[in-house]
Amino acid sequence: MPRRRPMGRRATVFWGLTALACAPQSTASPNPEAKAHPLGYRVVHGWPHLPLGELLGQVSGVGLDSRGTVIVFRRGQRSWPFPSDSLRTDPIEAPTILLFDSASGRQLSAWGAGRFAMPHGLTVDSRDNVWVTDVALHQVFKFTQDGALLLTLGERGVPGDDSVHFDRPTDVAVAPDGSFYVSDGYRNSRVVRFSKEGRYLFSWGRKGNRPGEFDVPHSIARDAAGQIYVADRSNARIQVFDSVGHFLAEWKGSELGRPWAVRVGPEGYLYVVDGGDQPEAPPDRARVLKLTREGRVIESFGSFGNYDGQFVWPHAVAVAPGGTVYVGDVSTGMRVQKFIH
Ligand code: ZN
């Protein structure tokens, strides 16, 4: 990564909770602490092992269960029809959920064949349930880890913005009591909260760029204290809310880039995928950032490219205890990579 010039204490304050909401993007300064670890993150070559002849395709989601099994949500032969915005709704024939042993990279099982049309977000909750969103079907699903369907929200193929419809829902965050939040999505501009049974509770947000508004809420995460983090992708920011949707802060600036995905790691740090500036500018930046809960970037790794350890369109991130990071890549990236510290 480029050498960062020390900017003094003021730059650190910029990334604090209190200073961010009113700071324009153009004044963002590099954080002197945003430097790589002396050894940095290193990609694990040859991870995962795929069966002979198997191609992952675009990997839109990745998560980890309580045993460290890596769960991948992939599109197989189907790709987002960029730059078209018209999505097919017929199901992908191949299995779309693949489970890998984290240490060996060996594929353990696969399911989700003939079910999904455009896989998007994947979240594993504390009970090892697997939650996924499908942006072509406008639906959110909850499964057991071996693929038994527990809950379906949204009407298949029917977009909407009421309590029983979504419009391209992107991601799910689950609270310990089983209630959950859905970021919705590519076309709606809101976060919806449901009870653990899937009953609509409330929602917040509308299209815009002011506090509490969204422009493609693309990923959502919840920390142990109940705070909600939304990767507000087209607004190039992370927004922070309390558990009932009150706006707390926004994190925005050149150091943060354009957040596509956000997750809270086991140690309480946030991990954000910066997907670059496309389509407004060439996708010449792609990286993973590690942040404190106050939004201060303390480490980053990765760059745009297609060699090992690089990303084309990094779309999803998952973090294991100890800091091992998994990153899913869409567009022509089409893989999941494992990084160790
Ligand atoms: Zn996406």
Side-chain angles (χ1 to χ4, degrees):
M1 60 180 291
R3 181 184 298 273
R4 296 191 182 281
R5 188 161 53 91
M7 296 294 288
R9 189 168 178 79
R10 186 167 170 272
T12 302
V13 173
F14 178 83
W15 287 102
L17 267 173
T18 55
L20 280 173
C22 59
Q25 183 176 2
S26 59
T27 62
S29 301
N31 184 331
E33 296 182 47
K35 60 184 185 301
H37 184 274
L39 291 175
Y41 278 91
R42 308 185 301 284
V43 69
V44 178
H45 295 274
W47 195 100
H49 293 296
L50 293 174
L52 196 61
E54 177 81 29
L55 298 174
L56 272 181
Q58 296 183 350
V59 174
S60 64
V62 60
L64 295 155
D65 74 4
S66 58
R67 293 182 296 274
T69 301
V70 182
I71 305 175
V72 164
F73 199 22
R74 61 88 179 253
R75 296 171 178 164
Q77 294 289 327
R78 186 156 304 172
S79 289
W80 192 290
F82 186 82
S84 162
D85 199 33
S86 178
L87 302 179
R88 291 169 58 177
T89 56
D90 58 306
I92 297 167
E93 291 181 12
T96 48
I97 306 273
L98 308 181
L99 280 68
F100 295 97
D101 178 74
S102 58
S104 68
R106 186 170 56 88
Q107 186 175 319
L108 302 173
S109 60
W111 49 272
R115 180 178 287 278
F116 304 111
M118 184 51 73
H120 201 269
L122 180 144
T123 301
V124 184
D125 70 22
S126 59
R127 296 173 178 80
D128 286 345
N129 297 304
V130 178
W131 301 72
V132 296
T133 72
D134 189 310
V135 289
L137 302 181
H138 308 292
Q139 288 181 299
V140 174
F141 304 93
K142 176 186 180 183
F143 294 91
T144 64
Q145 196 191 63
D146 53 4
L149 182 61
L150 299 175
L151 190 64
T152 301
L153 290 96
E155 186 177 357
R156 181 185 176 89
V158 180
D161 63 358
D162 57 25
S163 62
V164 292
H165 291 88
F166 304 104
D167 202 340
R168 299 192 169 180
T170 51
D171 198 17
V172 179
V174 186
D177 66 0
S179 65
F180 56 97
Y181 302 81
V182 176
S183 50
D184 176 34
Y186 274 95
R187 288 182 170 164
N188 286 336
S189 302
R190 62 178 184 169
V191 170
V192 190
R193 185 168 190 191
F194 296 90
S195 72
K196 67 178 179 182
E197 298 84 9
R199 181 169 46 86
Y200 174 93
L201 296 176
F202 57 85
S203 67
W204 73 87
R206 60 180 180 179
K207 191 172 179 68
N209 58 14
R210 293 184 297 185
E213 298 178 338
F214 300 108
D215 191 356
V216 187
H218 190 258
S219 177
I220 187 167
R222 179 192 180 280
D223 71 13
Q227 286 193 170
I228 302 299
Y229 305 85
V230 179
D232 189 12
R233 175 171 144 177
S234 292
N235 282 327
R237 63 180 177 179
I238 296 286
Q239 290 197 73
V240 188
F241 301 91
D242 70 11
S243 62
V244 293
H246 294 129
F247 174 84
L248 298 177
E250 72 167 6
W251 306 337
K252 183 178 176 76
S254 59
E255 193 175 27
L256 192 61
R258 187 176 296 274
W260 283 34
V262 58
R263 286 291 184 264
V264 180
E267 284 81 26
Y269 292 105
L270 278 87
Y271 290 76
V272 170
V273 166
D274 173 9
D277 285 325
Q278 43 63 42
E280 290 82 1
D284 58 358
R285 189 187 69 239
R287 54 186 179 167
V288 176
L289 306 168
K290 180 179 177 181
L291 291 78
T292 68
R293 284 184 71 241
E294 292 74 37
R296 186 162 50 87
V297 177
I298 55 174
E299 194 162 356
S300 75
F301 67 93
S303 60
F304 179 80
N306 63 2
Y307 289 97
D308 269 7
Q310 296 184 311
F311 314 110
V312 179
W313 281 20
H315 191 271
V317 61
V319 188
T324 297
V325 177
Y326 299 85
V327 182
D329 216 326
V330 295
S331 183
T332 57
M334 297 195 180
R335 58 181 172 176
V336 59
Q337 295 187 90
K338 176 182 181 179
F339 294 86
I340 57 174
H341 207 270

Short mmCIF file of all heavy atoms in Angstrom, two decimals, residues 239-297:
data_model
loop_
_atom_site.label_atom_id
_atom_site.label_comp_id
_atom_site.label_asym_id
_atom_site.label_seq_id
_atom_site.Cartn_x
_atom_site.Cartn_y
_atom_site.Cartn_z
N GLN A 239 -23.03 4.24 8.06
CA GLN A 239 -23.88 4.93 9.02
C GLN A 239 -24.07 4.03 10.25
O GLN A 239 -24.19 2.81 10.12
CB GLN A 239 -25.24 5.25 8.42
CG GLN A 239 -25.19 6.34 7.36
CD GLN A 239 -26.58 6.93 7.10
OE1 GLN A 239 -27.12 7.67 7.92
NE2 GLN A 239 -27.15 6.58 5.96
N VAL A 240 -24.09 4.68 11.40
CA VAL A 240 -24.22 3.96 12.67
C VAL A 240 -25.55 4.37 13.31
O VAL A 240 -25.88 5.56 13.37
CB VAL A 240 -23.06 4.29 13.62
CG1 VAL A 240 -23.12 3.39 14.86
CG2 VAL A 240 -21.72 4.13 12.91
N PHE A 241 -26.29 3.37 13.78
CA PHE A 241 -27.58 3.60 14.41
C PHE A 241 -27.66 2.83 15.72
O PHE A 241 -26.93 1.84 15.92
CB PHE A 241 -28.73 3.11 13.50
CG PHE A 241 -28.77 3.77 12.15
CD1 PHE A 241 -28.10 3.21 11.07
CD2 PHE A 241 -29.47 4.95 11.97
CE1 PHE A 241 -28.13 3.82 9.82
CE2 PHE A 241 -29.51 5.57 10.73
CZ PHE A 241 -28.84 5.00 9.65
N ASP A 242 -28.58 3.28 16.59
CA ASP A 242 -28.85 2.43 17.74
C ASP A 242 -29.82 1.32 17.32
O ASP A 242 -30.20 1.24 16.14
CB ASP A 242 -29.35 3.26 18.94
CG ASP A 242 -30.74 3.83 18.74
OD1 ASP A 242 -31.43 3.43 17.78
OD2 ASP A 242 -31.14 4.68 19.56
N SER A 243 -30.22 0.50 18.26
CA SER A 243 -30.95 -0.71 17.89
C SER A 243 -32.35 -0.43 17.35
O SER A 243 -32.97 -1.30 16.74
CB SER A 243 -31.06 -1.64 19.10
OG SER A 243 -31.79 -1.00 20.15
N VAL A 244 -32.86 0.80 17.58
CA VAL A 244 -34.19 1.12 17.04
C VAL A 244 -34.11 2.14 15.91
O VAL A 244 -35.12 2.73 15.52
CB VAL A 244 -35.14 1.61 18.16
CG1 VAL A 244 -35.43 0.47 19.13
CG2 VAL A 244 -34.56 2.81 18.90
N GLY A 245 -32.92 2.36 15.38
CA GLY A 245 -32.79 3.14 14.16
C GLY A 245 -32.50 4.61 14.35
O GLY A 245 -32.56 5.38 13.39
N HIS A 246 -32.18 5.02 15.57
CA HIS A 246 -31.76 6.41 15.76
C HIS A 246 -30.35 6.61 15.22
O HIS A 246 -29.45 5.85 15.58
CB HIS A 246 -31.82 6.80 17.25
CG HIS A 246 -33.21 6.81 17.80
ND1 HIS A 246 -33.56 6.13 18.95
CD2 HIS A 246 -34.34 7.38 17.35
CE1 HIS A 246 -34.84 6.31 19.19
NE2 HIS A 246 -35.35 7.05 18.24
N PHE A 247 -30.19 7.64 14.42
CA PHE A 247 -28.88 7.93 13.82
C PHE A 247 -27.88 8.33 14.90
O PHE A 247 -28.16 9.18 15.75
CB PHE A 247 -29.02 9.06 12.81
CG PHE A 247 -27.73 9.55 12.24
CD1 PHE A 247 -27.14 8.90 11.16
CD2 PHE A 247 -27.09 10.67 12.77
CE1 PHE A 247 -25.94 9.35 10.63
CE2 PHE A 247 -25.89 11.12 12.25
CZ PHE A 247 -25.32 10.46 11.18
N LEU A 248 -26.69 7.73 14.85
CA LEU A 248 -25.63 8.06 15.80
C LEU A 248 -24.44 8.74 15.13
O LEU A 248 -23.88 9.68 15.67
CB LEU A 248 -25.14 6.79 16.52
CG LEU A 248 -26.18 6.05 17.36
CD1 LEU A 248 -25.57 4.78 17.94
CD2 LEU A 248 -26.73 6.93 18.48
N ALA A 249 -24.06 8.25 13.96
CA ALA A 249 -22.85 8.81 13.32
C ALA A 249 -22.76 8.35 11.89
O ALA A 249 -23.41 7.38 11.48
CB ALA A 249 -21.60 8.37 14.09
N GLU A 250 -21.97 9.07 11.11
CA GLU A 250 -21.57 8.57 9.80
C GLU A 250 -20.05 8.63 9.72
O GLU A 250 -19.42 9.53 10.29
CB GLU A 250 -22.20 9.36 8.66
CG GLU A 250 -21.64 10.76 8.46
CD GLU A 250 -22.06 11.38 7.15
OE1 GLU A 250 -22.87 10.80 6.42
OE2 GLU A 250 -21.56 12.48 6.86
N TRP A 251 -19.50 7.66 9.02
CA TRP A 251 -18.06 7.63 8.77
C TRP A 251 -17.89 7.73 7.26
O TRP A 251 -18.40 6.91 6.51
CB TRP A 251 -17.44 6.33 9.26
CG TRP A 251 -17.72 6.03 10.70
CD1 TRP A 251 -18.06 6.91 11.69
CD2 TRP A 251 -17.70 4.74 11.31
NE1 TRP A 251 -18.24 6.24 12.88
CE2 TRP A 251 -18.02 4.92 12.67
CE3 TRP A 251 -17.42 3.46 10.83
CZ2 TRP A 251 -18.09 3.84 13.56
CZ3 TRP A 251 -17.47 2.38 11.71
CH2 TRP A 251 -17.81 2.59 13.06
N LYS A 252 -17.14 8.73 6.84
CA LYS A 252 -17.06 9.01 5.42
C LYS A 252 -15.74 9.71 5.13
O LYS A 252 -15.33 10.58 5.91
CB LYS A 252 -18.23 9.90 5.01
CG LYS A 252 -18.34 10.25 3.53
CD LYS A 252 -19.58 11.11 3.31
CE LYS A 252 -19.69 11.58 1.87
NZ LYS A 252 -20.15 10.50 0.98
N GLY A 253 -15.10 9.36 4.07
CA GLY A 253 -13.86 10.03 3.72
C GLY A 253 -13.02 9.19 2.80
O GLY A 253 -13.31 8.01 2.55
N SER A 254 -11.96 9.78 2.28
CA SER A 254 -11.14 9.08 1.29
C SER A 254 -10.48 7.84 1.87
O SER A 254 -10.22 6.88 1.16
CB SER A 254 -10.08 10.03 0.73
OG SER A 254 -9.25 10.50 1.78
N GLU A 255 -10.22 7.86 3.16
CA GLU A 255 -9.57 6.70 3.74
C GLU A 255 -10.52 5.51 3.84
O GLU A 255 -10.12 4.35 3.78
CB GLU A 255 -9.02 7.03 5.13
CG GLU A 255 -8.09 5.96 5.64
CD GLU A 255 -7.46 6.38 6.95
OE1 GLU A 255 -8.06 7.17 7.68
OE2 GLU A 255 -6.35 5.89 7.22
N LEU A 256 -11.81 5.80 3.99
CA LEU A 256 -12.81 4.75 4.07
C LEU A 256 -13.24 4.27 2.69
O LEU A 256 -13.58 3.11 2.50
CB LEU A 256 -14.03 5.27 4.85
CG LEU A 256 -15.07 4.26 5.28
CD1 LEU A 256 -14.47 3.23 6.22
CD2 LEU A 256 -16.24 4.97 5.95
N GLY A 257 -13.20 5.17 1.72
CA GLY A 257 -13.57 4.78 0.36
C GLY A 257 -15.07 4.58 0.22
O GLY A 257 -15.86 5.31 0.79
N ARG A 258 -15.42 3.55 -0.56
CA ARG A 258 -16.83 3.27 -0.84
C ARG A 258 -17.19 1.92 -0.21
O ARG A 258 -16.96 0.86 -0.81
CB ARG A 258 -17.07 3.25 -2.35
CG ARG A 258 -18.54 3.13 -2.74
CD ARG A 258 -18.71 3.22 -4.24
NE ARG A 258 -18.31 4.52 -4.77
CZ ARG A 258 -19.11 5.58 -4.84
NH1 ARG A 258 -20.34 5.50 -4.42
NH2 ARG A 258 -18.66 6.71 -5.33
N PRO A 259 -17.74 1.94 0.99
CA PRO A 259 -18.01 0.66 1.68
C PRO A 259 -19.10 -0.16 0.98
O PRO A 259 -20.19 0.33 0.75
CB PRO A 259 -18.47 1.12 3.07
CG PRO A 259 -17.92 2.50 3.24
CD PRO A 259 -17.98 3.10 1.86
N TRP A 260 -18.74 -1.38 0.69
CA TRP A 260 -19.69 -2.32 0.10
C TRP A 260 -20.18 -3.31 1.15
O TRP A 260 -21.29 -3.82 1.05
CB TRP A 260 -19.02 -3.11 -1.03
CG TRP A 260 -18.87 -2.37 -2.29
CD1 TRP A 260 -18.63 -1.03 -2.46
CD2 TRP A 260 -18.93 -2.92 -3.62
NE1 TRP A 260 -18.54 -0.73 -3.78
CE2 TRP A 260 -18.70 -1.85 -4.52
CE3 TRP A 260 -19.12 -4.21 -4.12
CZ2 TRP A 260 -18.70 -2.04 -5.91
CZ3 TRP A 260 -19.10 -4.41 -5.49
CH2 TRP A 260 -18.90 -3.34 -6.38
N ALA A 261 -19.33 -3.65 2.07
CA ALA A 261 -19.70 -4.66 3.06
C ALA A 261 -19.15 -4.25 4.42
O ALA A 261 -18.10 -3.62 4.51
CB ALA A 261 -19.16 -6.04 2.66
N VAL A 262 -19.86 -4.64 5.47
CA VAL A 262 -19.40 -4.36 6.84
C VAL A 262 -19.75 -5.56 7.71
O VAL A 262 -20.82 -6.14 7.61
CB VAL A 262 -20.03 -3.06 7.39
CG1 VAL A 262 -21.55 -3.10 7.38
CG2 VAL A 262 -19.50 -2.75 8.79
N ARG A 263 -18.78 -5.95 8.55
CA ARG A 263 -18.99 -7.02 9.51
C ARG A 263 -18.25 -6.68 10.80
O ARG A 263 -17.25 -5.95 10.78
CB ARG A 263 -18.46 -8.38 8.98
CG ARG A 263 -19.35 -8.99 7.90
CD ARG A 263 -20.67 -9.45 8.48
NE ARG A 263 -21.52 -10.13 7.51
CZ ARG A 263 -22.50 -9.53 6.81
NH1 ARG A 263 -22.72 -8.23 6.96
NH2 ARG A 263 -23.25 -10.21 5.98
N VAL A 264 -18.74 -7.20 11.90
CA VAL A 264 -18.08 -7.03 13.18
C VAL A 264 -17.33 -8.33 13.48
O VAL A 264 -17.92 -9.41 13.50
CB VAL A 264 -19.10 -6.74 14.29
CG1 VAL A 264 -18.40 -6.57 15.63
CG2 VAL A 264 -19.91 -5.47 13.96
N GLY A 265 -16.03 -8.22 13.73
CA GLY A 265 -15.24 -9.39 14.02
C GLY A 265 -15.40 -9.83 15.46
O GLY A 265 -15.94 -9.10 16.30
N PRO A 266 -14.93 -11.04 15.79
CA PRO A 266 -15.09 -11.57 17.15
C PRO A 266 -14.45 -10.69 18.22
O PRO A 266 -14.90 -10.69 19.36
CB PRO A 266 -14.40 -12.94 17.07
CG PRO A 266 -14.41 -13.29 15.63
CD PRO A 266 -14.31 -12.00 14.89
N GLU A 267 -13.41 -9.94 17.87
CA GLU A 267 -12.76 -9.08 18.85
C GLU A 267 -13.39 -7.70 18.92
O GLU A 267 -12.90 -6.83 19.65
CB GLU A 267 -11.27 -8.96 18.55
CG GLU A 267 -10.46 -10.19 18.93
CD GLU A 267 -10.54 -11.29 17.87
OE1 GLU A 267 -10.77 -10.95 16.69
OE2 GLU A 267 -10.40 -12.48 18.22
N GLY A 268 -14.45 -7.46 18.17
CA GLY A 268 -15.16 -6.20 18.26
C GLY A 268 -14.75 -5.16 17.24
O GLY A 268 -15.36 -4.10 17.17
N TYR A 269 -13.72 -5.45 16.46
CA TYR A 269 -13.35 -4.53 15.39
C TYR A 269 -14.33 -4.67 14.22
O TYR A 269 -14.91 -5.74 14.00
CB TYR A 269 -11.93 -4.79 14.90
CG TYR A 269 -10.87 -4.46 15.92
CD1 TYR A 269 -10.21 -5.47 16.62
CD2 TYR A 269 -10.53 -3.14 16.19
CE1 TYR A 269 -9.24 -5.17 17.57
CE2 TYR A 269 -9.56 -2.84 17.14
CZ TYR A 269 -8.93 -3.84 17.82
OH TYR A 269 -7.98 -3.55 18.76
N LEU A 270 -14.44 -3.60 13.46
CA LEU A 270 -15.25 -3.66 12.25
C LEU A 270 -14.35 -3.91 11.05
O LEU A 270 -13.23 -3.38 10.98
CB LEU A 270 -16.03 -2.35 12.05
CG LEU A 270 -17.32 -2.29 12.86
CD1 LEU A 270 -17.03 -1.75 14.24
CD2 LEU A 270 -18.35 -1.45 12.16
N TYR A 271 -14.87 -4.68 10.12
CA TYR A 271 -14.16 -4.94 8.87
C TYR A 271 -15.04 -4.44 7.73
O TYR A 271 -16.21 -4.82 7.63
CB TYR A 271 -13.84 -6.42 8.72
CG TYR A 271 -12.80 -6.89 9.70
CD1 TYR A 271 -13.13 -7.10 11.04
CD2 TYR A 271 -11.48 -7.08 9.31
CE1 TYR A 271 -12.17 -7.50 11.95
CE2 TYR A 271 -10.51 -7.49 10.21
CZ TYR A 271 -10.86 -7.70 11.53
OH TYR A 271 -9.91 -8.09 12.43
N VAL A 272 -14.46 -3.56 6.93
CA VAL A 272 -15.21 -2.92 5.85
C VAL A 272 -14.52 -3.23 4.52
O VAL A 272 -13.29 -3.12 4.42
CB VAL A 272 -15.28 -1.40 6.07
CG1 VAL A 272 -15.84 -0.69 4.84
CG2 VAL A 272 -16.13 -1.07 7.31
N VAL A 273 -15.30 -3.61 3.53
CA VAL A 273 -14.78 -3.78 2.19
C VAL A 273 -14.98 -2.47 1.44
O VAL A 273 -16.10 -1.98 1.34
CB VAL A 273 -15.50 -4.93 1.46
CG1 VAL A 273 -15.21 -4.87 -0.02
CG2 VAL A 273 -15.09 -6.26 2.04
N ASP A 274 -13.89 -1.93 0.94
CA ASP A 274 -13.94 -0.75 0.07
C ASP A 274 -13.91 -1.25 -1.37
O ASP A 274 -12.90 -1.74 -1.85
CB ASP A 274 -12.74 0.16 0.36
CG ASP A 274 -12.63 1.32 -0.61
OD1 ASP A 274 -13.57 1.52 -1.41
OD2 ASP A 274 -11.59 2.01 -0.57
N GLY A 275 -15.05 -1.12 -2.05
CA GLY A 275 -15.15 -1.67 -3.40
C GLY A 275 -14.68 -0.73 -4.49
O GLY A 275 -14.89 -1.01 -5.67
N GLY A 276 -14.08 0.39 -4.12
CA GLY A 276 -13.62 1.30 -5.16
C GLY A 276 -14.70 2.30 -5.54
O GLY A 276 -15.75 2.37 -4.90
N ASP A 277 -14.46 3.05 -6.59
CA ASP A 277 -15.35 4.15 -6.94
C ASP A 277 -16.21 3.89 -8.16
O ASP A 277 -16.90 4.79 -8.62
CB ASP A 277 -14.54 5.42 -7.16
CG ASP A 277 -14.06 6.00 -5.86
OD1 ASP A 277 -14.81 5.90 -4.86
OD2 ASP A 277 -12.95 6.54 -5.83
N GLN A 278 -16.13 2.71 -8.74
CA GLN A 278 -16.96 2.48 -9.91
C GLN A 278 -18.42 2.42 -9.47
O GLN A 278 -18.70 2.11 -8.32
CB GLN A 278 -16.53 1.19 -10.64
CG GLN A 278 -16.22 0.01 -9.77
CD GLN A 278 -17.39 -0.49 -8.99
OE1 GLN A 278 -18.47 -0.58 -9.50
NE2 GLN A 278 -17.16 -0.81 -7.72
N PRO A 279 -19.40 2.73 -10.37
CA PRO A 279 -19.15 2.95 -11.80
C PRO A 279 -18.72 4.38 -12.13
O PRO A 279 -18.50 4.68 -13.30
CB PRO A 279 -20.51 2.63 -12.41
CG PRO A 279 -21.49 3.03 -11.37
CD PRO A 279 -20.83 2.71 -10.06
N GLU A 280 -18.62 5.26 -11.13
CA GLU A 280 -18.27 6.63 -11.44
C GLU A 280 -16.82 6.75 -11.94
O GLU A 280 -16.49 7.65 -12.69
CB GLU A 280 -18.44 7.52 -10.20
CG GLU A 280 -19.89 7.72 -9.79
CD GLU A 280 -20.42 6.57 -8.98
OE1 GLU A 280 -19.66 5.61 -8.73
OE2 GLU A 280 -21.61 6.62 -8.61
N ALA A 281 -15.97 5.88 -11.48
CA ALA A 281 -14.57 5.92 -11.88
C ALA A 281 -14.09 4.48 -12.03
O ALA A 281 -14.72 3.56 -11.51
CB ALA A 281 -13.75 6.66 -10.83
N PRO A 282 -13.01 4.28 -12.72
CA PRO A 282 -12.52 2.90 -12.89
C PRO A 282 -12.30 2.22 -11.54
O PRO A 282 -11.89 2.88 -10.58
CB PRO A 282 -11.21 3.09 -13.65
CG PRO A 282 -11.36 4.39 -14.35
CD PRO A 282 -12.20 5.25 -13.45
N PRO A 283 -12.54 0.94 -11.47
CA PRO A 283 -12.39 0.23 -10.18
C PRO A 283 -10.93 -0.06 -9.87
O PRO A 283 -10.48 -1.19 -9.84
CB PRO A 283 -13.18 -1.05 -10.42
CG PRO A 283 -13.07 -1.28 -11.89
CD PRO A 283 -13.02 0.09 -12.52
N ASP A 284 -10.19 1.01 -9.63
CA ASP A 284 -8.76 0.83 -9.42
C ASP A 284 -8.40 0.76 -7.94
O ASP A 284 -7.26 0.84 -7.57
CB ASP A 284 -7.98 1.96 -10.08
CG ASP A 284 -8.40 3.33 -9.57
OD1 ASP A 284 -9.32 3.39 -8.72
OD2 ASP A 284 -7.82 4.33 -10.01
N ARG A 285 -9.40 0.63 -7.09
CA ARG A 285 -9.12 0.51 -5.67
C ARG A 285 -10.02 -0.56 -5.10
O ARG A 285 -11.22 -0.57 -5.37
CB ARG A 285 -9.40 1.84 -4.96
CG ARG A 285 -8.93 1.87 -3.52
CD ARG A 285 -9.37 3.13 -2.80
NE ARG A 285 -10.82 3.15 -2.60
CZ ARG A 285 -11.62 4.11 -3.08
NH1 ARG A 285 -11.13 5.08 -3.77
NH2 ARG A 285 -12.91 4.05 -2.85
N ALA A 286 -9.46 -1.50 -4.38
CA ALA A 286 -10.24 -2.56 -3.77
C ALA A 286 -9.44 -3.05 -2.57
O ALA A 286 -8.28 -3.44 -2.71
CB ALA A 286 -10.47 -3.70 -4.75
N ARG A 287 -10.05 -3.03 -1.39
CA ARG A 287 -9.27 -3.34 -0.20
C ARG A 287 -10.20 -3.67 0.95
O ARG A 287 -11.41 -3.45 0.88
CB ARG A 287 -8.37 -2.15 0.17
CG ARG A 287 -9.17 -0.87 0.32
CD ARG A 287 -8.31 0.35 0.56
NE ARG A 287 -9.18 1.53 0.67
CZ ARG A 287 -8.80 2.71 1.12
NH1 ARG A 287 -7.55 2.90 1.47
NH2 ARG A 287 -9.65 3.71 1.20
N VAL A 288 -9.59 -4.15 2.02
CA VAL A 288 -10.31 -4.44 3.25
C VAL A 288 -9.73 -3.54 4.34
O VAL A 288 -8.50 -3.40 4.46
CB VAL A 288 -10.15 -5.92 3.64
CG1 VAL A 288 -10.83 -6.19 4.99
CG2 VAL A 288 -10.75 -6.81 2.56
N LEU A 289 -10.61 -2.92 5.12
CA LEU A 289 -10.21 -2.02 6.18
C LEU A 289 -10.65 -2.59 7.52
O LEU A 289 -11.72 -3.18 7.64
CB LEU A 289 -10.87 -0.64 6.00
CG LEU A 289 -10.67 0.03 4.64
CD1 LEU A 289 -11.60 1.22 4.49
CD2 LEU A 289 -9.23 0.45 4.48
N LYS A 290 -9.81 -2.38 8.51
CA LYS A 290 -10.15 -2.76 9.89
C LYS A 290 -10.31 -1.48 10.69
O LYS A 290 -9.42 -0.61 10.68
CB LYS A 290 -9.03 -3.64 10.46
CG LYS A 290 -9.24 -4.11 11.89
CD LYS A 290 -8.06 -4.98 12.33
CE LYS A 290 -8.18 -5.43 13.78
NZ LYS A 290 -7.01 -6.25 14.19
N LEU A 291 -11.43 -1.36 11.39
CA LEU A 291 -11.76 -0.13 12.09
C LEU A 291 -12.10 -0.41 13.55
O LEU A 291 -12.58 -1.50 13.89
CB LEU A 291 -12.99 0.55 11.47
CG LEU A 291 -12.90 1.18 10.09
CD1 LEU A 291 -12.95 0.14 8.99
CD2 LEU A 291 -14.03 2.19 9.90
N THR A 292 -11.89 0.60 14.37
CA THR A 292 -12.42 0.53 15.73
C THR A 292 -13.92 0.79 15.70
O THR A 292 -14.47 1.25 14.69
CB THR A 292 -11.75 1.58 16.63
OG1 THR A 292 -12.17 2.89 16.18
CG2 THR A 292 -10.24 1.49 16.56
N ARG A 293 -14.56 0.58 16.84
CA ARG A 293 -16.00 0.85 16.92
C ARG A 293 -16.30 2.34 16.79
O ARG A 293 -17.43 2.74 16.60
CB ARG A 293 -16.57 0.35 18.25
CG ARG A 293 -16.76 -1.14 18.31
CD ARG A 293 -17.41 -1.57 19.61
NE ARG A 293 -18.82 -1.20 19.67
CZ ARG A 293 -19.35 -0.39 20.59
NH1 ARG A 293 -18.57 0.17 21.50
NH2 ARG A 293 -20.65 -0.13 20.59
N GLU A 294 -15.27 3.16 16.94
CA GLU A 294 -15.46 4.60 16.77
C GLU A 294 -15.22 5.03 15.32
O GLU A 294 -15.30 6.22 15.01
CB GLU A 294 -14.52 5.37 17.70
CG GLU A 294 -14.86 5.22 19.18
CD GLU A 294 -14.48 3.87 19.73
OE1 GLU A 294 -13.42 3.34 19.32
OE2 GLU A 294 -15.24 3.32 20.55
N GLY A 295 -14.89 4.11 14.47
CA GLY A 295 -14.72 4.43 13.06
C GLY A 295 -13.33 4.82 12.65
O GLY A 295 -13.12 5.34 11.55
N ARG A 296 -12.36 4.53 13.47
CA ARG A 296 -10.98 4.88 13.15
C ARG A 296 -10.33 3.71 12.42
O ARG A 296 -10.32 2.58 12.92
CB ARG A 296 -10.21 5.21 14.42
CG ARG A 296 -8.81 5.72 14.20
CD ARG A 296 -8.29 6.43 15.46
NE ARG A 296 -8.47 5.62 16.66
CZ ARG A 296 -7.59 4.71 17.08
NH1 ARG A 296 -6.48 4.53 16.41
NH2 ARG A 296 -7.82 4.02 18.18
N VAL A 297 -9.81 3.98 11.23
CA VAL A 297 -9.16 2.93 10.44
C VAL A 297 -7.80 2.62 11.06
O VAL A 297 -6.96 3.51 11.22
CB VAL A 297 -8.98 3.36 8.97
CG1 VAL A 297 -8.24 2.28 8.18
CG2 VAL A 297 -10.33 3.68 8.34
#
